Amino acid sequence: MELAPLSVENEGIDFDVGSGDEEEEAAGAEIEGEDYNDDEEEFGYDSGERRDLLLSGSDQNHEPYEGMEFESEEAARIFYNSYARRVGFSTRVSVYHRSRRDGAIICRQVVCSRQGFRQARDRERCISNKRQRADTRVGCKAMVMVKKQDSGRWVVSRLIKEHNHELVPPDKVHRLRSHRHVSGPARSLIDTLKAAGIGPSGVMSVLIRESGGINNVGFTTVDCRNYMSGSRQRTRVSGVQQVVDELKRMRAENSSFFYAVEGENENSKRNVFWADADSRMNYNYFGDTVTIDTTYRSNRYRVPFAPFTGLNHHGQPVLFGCALILNESEASYIWLFQTWLTAMSGKHPVSITTDQDRIIRAAVAHAFPKVRHRFCKWSIFREAEEKLAHVHQSRPTFEADFRKCVNMSETASEFDYSWESLLKRYDLVGNEWLQSMYSVRQQWVPLYLRDTFFGETTVTQGSDTINSFFDGYVNASTAMQVLIKQYEKAVASRHEKEVKADYDTMNTTPVLKTPSPMEKQAASLFTRKIFMKFQEELVETLAITATKLDDTGTVATYRVVKFGEDHKSYTVLFHIFETIASCSCQMFEFSGIICRHILAVFRVTNVLTLPSHYALKRWTRNAKSGISVDERAIDLPGNSGDSSAVRFNNLRQEAIKFVEEGSRSLPLYNVAMDALREAGKKVAAAKTQGPVIKWAGDMANGSASDVQSSESDQLSSEGEKDKKILELLNEVQSANQRCEVYRAKLFSLLKDMEEQKLKLSIKAQSVRVSLKE
């Protein structure tokens, strides 16, 4: 029998026995992100039951010897591992030979796990790792080699029993890697307990009690955790298909529902994104700032669920879409962000807030290169509790001082001084994590972000906590099978809260606290919550003085201070003729609500009403009426329908709004249906007479030469040509006039629809209130 050259085979986990704590080594592997790999699979058997079938009762207690025969290579490996357990060492598969004739393995060597020495590069890698792992290779010679005979049986051709290291006593042998496996019955029990919400430690407590001691369990807590993690991943992959099936159903019920799945291989880790019609419509009105909530990463959610959210005109969370993230690679995140942009008609937000994860940061930079990217302050404070746990426990005042340094600093120099003082006070100078956070301070410390709109009503407290759209509906124990039901419940609940906020705004009169006509104006303009914030700022002006420092005739500079706080001043530049002011606090830029400092300047300059540019429509009662952001964008030169994608998106957005409003009541439905039928006839006519219509359009632009060439055979004289041209121009002008009239009627109809919608919402709320009484 001809032998192929000697080869080395890596068949999974390297079964080492450390000189230190074996549990720590396994934990280190888990931290590095390795998926669970059952030790039994390393040796070719699926469970302890099969191992026992391969070995007879007498064989299990035999000593190996040269010439010993086995039915198969697998039986030989299992026997040697069983022998190793009795003696007190761990094994691993080493070299093998293949036949040159058919490539089959004909010689196998199984060695003590402490055989050989690590290569230099592996040793350097172990030393360079933050969590150093002991070098367990000591050059042990113990091994067994088995060869395949012509009869098909395997025989021991070489055997070395002597070890050059201490053997492990029987009460510790269960910790050796090659002797740890999660058997079939244990898997069933683990799956049952996991489904009941019990974690790895709780599962191990049950297994230890049922097995009569930890020595009889057969694996460690780390093995249990890794198995449960692998099981969770397998459950996720199978559950994704159930979610996709639900999304297909929702798409069939509503053509405006959008969903996409990354990749085509059903067995791979795929990401899924979806957005319903309301989410896409809300983005038109409130898509200036977006938060991508990946809390599932830090909270160990069973479902890798990440919603895209923003803030509506009441400051409530509003949904822009959802994602299932099974693949957390940079390419997959880029796919997700680009898919989300496609669903939102390609409109970029002003700002975006995400976790500070390196992969997410890279994907955001690729997909949103011109969007201001902020790291979630809540996740950073949470990470600080983990990275600086020793400080939190020993110095209870650290958390408050840390938050004060981050939130209350108003200048870069003030922040730097507070930061350095904090590090010295708590002996944290040189802390790597704090150094890394300081290097990216422009992306999470509020003072560096105040020049960009994030929609939060205060500069200092924004994003300290995540007000998740799905609080109370999706949590760490939510299973994939019920995700869509919980999603639908959350959407319905949030809609009800928005309706209630609309009702409260329209049917309650806020108490005015000043005689200012600006306050009365704001009360009728803003939603209730936003007005209360504006009112707070306005009332504060009573304790503020504004002193003019300079006046160029067009721009006046004011120093604004609160009574009794002369050491803390703000600078307001007031453009007199445009009634435009900018404040050093930058509250308006950050939140879209005018600050007390500008209002104080307005008071001393007799600006009695709020200039229109300080009443952002997104914060008003009519935020969702009239022309939305995308409607305005349609009229821009750069969005004139140059591509089929742009034309499709524009038409789709118009259709979504028309269908939603037309379904509110029977009269509106009839009007909408008539309009759609008429539009359908015009589109059909345009398709039939396309060249004629294009020709008429060219005439409107003065393309007389084109008209002459295309009609030369039909017109017999110059007079007839001129007459035809004039008739066509008149028709174009008349059509334009009719379009303007129709446009005016359409907007009037949309306005009526909004009013009808609001009235119906109010009536519905009244009915609910009366039913409760």
Side-chain angles (χ1 to χ4, degrees):
M1 183 175 294
E2 195 173 15
L3 298 181
L6 192 67
S7 302
V8 177
E9 181 178 78
N10 292 323
E11 292 193 358
I13 296 174
D14 184 16
F15 294 157
D16 291 339
V17 179
S19 58
D21 188 348
E22 193 73 25
E23 184 78 16
E24 284 195 356
E25 287 201 23
E30 182 199 16
I31 290 172
E32 293 168 3
E34 294 182 9
D35 289 336
Y36 175 78
N37 188 350
D38 196 308
D39 294 339
E40 293 167 340
E41 295 176 357
E42 167 71 11
F43 289 95
Y45 50 84
D46 298 325
S47 67
E49 287 81 354
R50 186 174 177 199
R51 175 191 60 197
D52 294 339
L53 289 174
L54 289 169
L55 295 173
S56 64
S58 58
D59 288 342
Q60 293 183 48
N61 297 318
H62 280 174
E63 292 279 329
Y65 56 88
E66 291 187 8
M68 190 175 187
E69 293 188 359
F70 300 92
E71 291 291 334
S72 64
E73 177 213 350
E74 180 185 22
R77 286 191 286 158
I78 293 172
F79 170 81
Y80 189 66
N81 192 57
S82 178
Y83 161 75
R85 181 183 179 91
R86 298 196 309 273
V87 173
F89 67 97
S90 182
T91 66
R92 60 182 170 85
V93 174
S94 183
V95 297
Y96 64 91
H97 291 288
R98 288 188 183 275
S99 168
R100 294 187 183 275
R101 186 172 52 213
D102 57 9
I105 294 176
I106 56 175
C107 181
R108 169 75 71 183
Q109 184 172 307
V110 183
V111 301
C112 171
S113 63
R114 308 194 71 174
Q115 176 265 352
F117 298 95
R118 291 199 183 279
Q119 296 182 9
R121 65 174 184 270
D122 294 332
R123 190 178 301 109
E124 290 174 1
R125 185 177 58 191
C126 290
I127 295 173
S128 63
N129 285 340
K130 292 181 179 179
R131 185 182 182 126
Q132 295 185 9
R133 300 178 62 182
D135 188 355
T136 60
R137 304 288 182 88
V138 295
C140 181
K141 302 291 187 181
M143 53 83 72
V144 64
M145 180 181 290
V146 290
K147 290 184 179 180
K148 188 176 183 180
Q149 305 299 303
D150 292 339
S151 63
R153 294 177 65 82
W154 290 72
V155 64
V156 175
S157 62
R158 187 182 178 193
L159 175 68
I160 300 176
K161 290 187 176 182
E162 294 76 18
H163 296 262
N164 67 347
H165 56 87
E166 292 185 7
L167 299 177
V168 178
D171 62 333
K172 293 183 176 60
V173 74
H174 66 280
R175 299 184 63 82
L176 298 178
R177 296 299 300 276
S178 70
H179 307 311
R180 287 156 38 193
H181 63 271
V182 183
S183 64
R187 293 178 184 183
S188 300
L189 181 56
I190 292 172
D191 291 340
T192 301
L193 297 174
K194 176 168 155 286
I198 300 176
S201 298
V203 170
M204 281 301 294
S205 297
V206 174
L207 289 168
I208 292 170
R209 185 171 61 252
E210 293 295 321
S211 303
I214 191 170
N215 294 356
N216 302 322
V217 173
F219 51 89
T220 66
T221 303
V222 174
D223 298 321
C224 179
R225 183 179 294 113
N226 287 343
Y227 171 76
M228 293 175 71
S229 177
S231 174
R232 182 183 300 114
Q233 185 61 47
R234 291 188 292 272
T235 302
R236 284 180 176 180
V237 173
S238 62
V240 166
Q241 189 56 48
Q242 296 181 15
V243 171
V244 172
D245 292 341
E246 285 292 311
L247 299 181
K248 289 179 180 178
R249 173 187 63 79
M250 297 166 81
R251 167 69 180 176
E253 295 174 355
N254 186 342
S255 60
S256 298
F257 187 89
F258 178 98
Y259 83 96
V261 181
E262 181 186 20
E264 299 180 355
N265 184 0
E266 293 187 0
N267 295 322
S268 64
K269 295 180 179 180
R270 301 184 300 168
N271 292 342
V272 182
F273 172 80
W274 72 92
D276 61 18
D278 286 339
S279 294
R280 302 171 76 184
M281 180 59 60
N282 283 331
Y283 187 75
N284 283 334
Y285 300 115
F286 310 115
D288 38 21
T289 185
V290 177
T291 296
I292 303 175
D293 183 0
T294 53
T295 314
Y296 77 89
R297 295 158 59 90
S298 57
N299 289 349
R300 296 183 179 273
Y301 278 27
R302 295 175 66 185
V303 177
F305 181 65
F308 291 66
T309 61
L311 297 168
N312 68 10
H313 50 319
H314 301 290
Q316 299 170 327
V318 63
L319 189 63
F320 298 145
C322 300
L324 286 177
I325 305 177
L326 271 72
N327 187 338
E328 295 187 330
S329 67
E330 181 179 332
S332 288
Y333 272 112
I334 291 174
W335 171 88
L336 174 62
F337 296 155
Q338 291 178 340
T339 302
W340 175 76
L341 276 176
T342 299
M344 302 300 137
S345 302
K347 177 196 161 203
H348 286 69
V350 173
S351 61
I352 188 168
T353 303
T354 73
D355 185 5
Q356 74 270 24
D357 178 78
R358 177 186 59 81
I359 292 176
I360 296 178
R361 288 159 60 179
V364 168
H366 185 280
F368 309 103
K370 297 182 180 180
V371 176
R372 188 68 179 274
H373 184 198
R374 177 180 68 168
F375 301 154
C376 176
K377 193 155 43 116
W378 174 85
S379 66
I380 291 177
F381 284 153
R382 175 175 177 143
E383 187 173 353
E385 295 179 4
E386 300 174 0
K387 300 290 186 179
L388 308 173
H390 62 291
V391 183
H392 278 80
Q393 294 171 3
S394 61
R395 309 284 291 275
T397 58
F398 171 76
E399 182 177 2
D401 288 343
F402 182 49
R403 289 176 180 263
K404 181 180 179 181
C405 169
V406 171
N407 288 329
M408 305 308 293
S409 299
E410 297 194 0
T411 65
S413 58
E414 183 182 344
F415 173 74
D416 287 342
Y417 177 79
S418 298
W419 185 270
E420 291 176 8
S421 299
L422 184 79
L423 298 186
K424 292 177 181 177
R425 187 181 314 127
Y426 292 97
D427 300 322
L428 292 170
V429 176
N431 182 275
E432 291 185 9
W433 182 79
L434 286 172
Q435 287 179 344
S436 68
M437 288 296 98
Y438 181 81
S439 67
V440 293
R441 60 193 179 281
Q442 290 86 358
Q443 290 184 271
W444 66 280
V445 177
L447 79 90
Y448 297 103
L449 299 161
R450 294 185 304 194
D451 60 346
T452 304
F453 181 81
F454 284 94
E456 289 153 357
T457 54
T458 60
V459 174
T460 58
Q461 297 302 317
S463 79
D464 275 6
T465 60
I466 287 184
N467 188 7
S468 175
F469 186 92
F470 291 93
D471 275 354
Y473 295 92
V474 178
N475 53 44
S477 62
T478 302
M480 192 79 76
Q481 291 76 7
V482 298
L483 177 63
I484 294 299
K485 290 183 179 179
Q486 295 302 104
Y487 158 83
E488 291 176 331
K489 289 179 181 179
V491 168
S493 174
R494 287 294 181 182
H495 176 72
E496 185 65 24
K497 290 180 180 178
E498 182 178 333
V499 169
K500 183 181 185 304
D502 285 335
Y503 176 84
D504 291 341
T505 295
M506 298 301 296
N507 293 277
T508 58
T509 303
V511 177
L512 302 183
K513 298 182 180 180
T514 73
S516 169
M518 190 182 292
E519 183 183 13
K520 184 176 182 181
Q521 174 195 6
S524 63
L525 189 63
F526 295 118
T527 59
R528 181 179 177 84
K529 179 177 178 180
I530 302 304
F531 168 72
M532 291 175 68
K533 179 59 184 173
F534 171 86
Q535 186 182 57
E536 177 187 334
E537 296 297 310
L538 184 65
V539 170
E540 284 294 325
T541 64
L542 300 177
I544 288 177
T545 60
T547 305
K548 185 185 293 186
L549 299 178
D550 186 35
D551 191 345
T552 64
T554 57
V555 180
T557 303
Y558 288 84
R559 180 176 182 268
V560 181
V561 297
K562 185 176 182 180
F563 179 77
E565 297 182 3
D566 291 345
H567 63 285
K568 193 173 184 179
S569 64
Y570 299 88
T571 302
V572 174
L573 299 179
F574 180 46
H575 297 258
I576 300 169
F577 298 112
E578 297 91 349
T579 61
I580 296 176
S582 60
C583 179
S584 59
C585 80
Q586 297 182 304
M587 176 176 167
F588 180 74
E589 289 82 356
F590 184 82
S591 65
I593 300 173
I594 194 168
C595 68
R596 61 194 65 179
H597 315 114
I598 294 178
L599 290 174
V601 171
F602 283 173
R603 178 168 53 82
V604 300
T605 55
N606 294 319
V607 177
L608 301 179
T609 59
L610 187 67
S612 59
H613 42 267
Y614 288 109
L616 296 188
K617 186 177 180 182
R618 66 143 16 259
W619 292 135
T620 66
R621 297 168 177 232
N622 300 319
K624 298 178 74 172
S625 65
I627 301 176
S628 68
V629 175
D630 272 15
E631 285 177 305
R632 292 194 297 273
I634 290 170
D635 295 331
L636 295 176
N639 294 303
S640 56
D642 294 334
S643 69
S644 60
V646 172
R647 294 192 295 272
F648 176 83
N649 285 330
N650 291 342
L651 287 170
R652 181 190 62 200
Q653 292 296 331
E654 291 298 307
I656 289 173
K657 288 178 282 189
F658 203 59
V659 169
E660 282 192 337
E661 299 300 337
S663 63
R664 301 296 183 185
S665 67
L666 184 58
L668 292 177
Y669 171 80
N670 292 331
V671 171
M673 285 300 296
D674 291 341
L676 287 173
R677 290 191 184 101
E678 183 64 24
K681 293 177 183 178
K682 291 183 179 180
V683 170
K687 288 173 63 177
T688 305
Q689 304 173 7
V692 176
I693 293 174
K694 183 178 186 302
W695 174 72
D698 290 339
M699 278 305 307
N701 293 321
S703 303
S705 59
D706 293 340
V707 176
Q708 184 174 352
S709 61
S710 61
E711 294 292 318
S712 58
D713 296 337
Q714 299 180 21
L715 301 177
S716 58
S717 66
E718 289 296 325
E720 289 179 343
K721 292 178 183 178
D722 292 340
K723 182 179 179 181
K724 184 67 174 178
I725 290 172
L726 184 60
E727 288 176 355
L728 290 171
L729 287 173
N730 289 335
E731 286 184 17
V732 170
Q733 185 176 5
S734 176
N736 286 335
Q737 291 175 349
R738 289 196 300 273
C739 286
E740 287 300 322
V741 173
Y742 181 75
R743 184 183 180 89
K745 289 182 178 179
L746 180 59
F747 281 120
S748 176
L749 176 61
L750 289 173
K751 184 177 180 181
D752 291 341
M753 288 177 177
E754 288 290 338
E755 292 177 355
Q756 188 72 13
K757 172 184 173 183
L758 186 58
K759 290 178 181 178
L760 289 173
S761 298
I762 294 171
K763 288 181 180 179
Q765 186 66 22
S766 299
V767 170
R768 291 189 184 94
V769 172
S770 62
L771 289 174
K772 290 180 180 179
E773 293 176 351

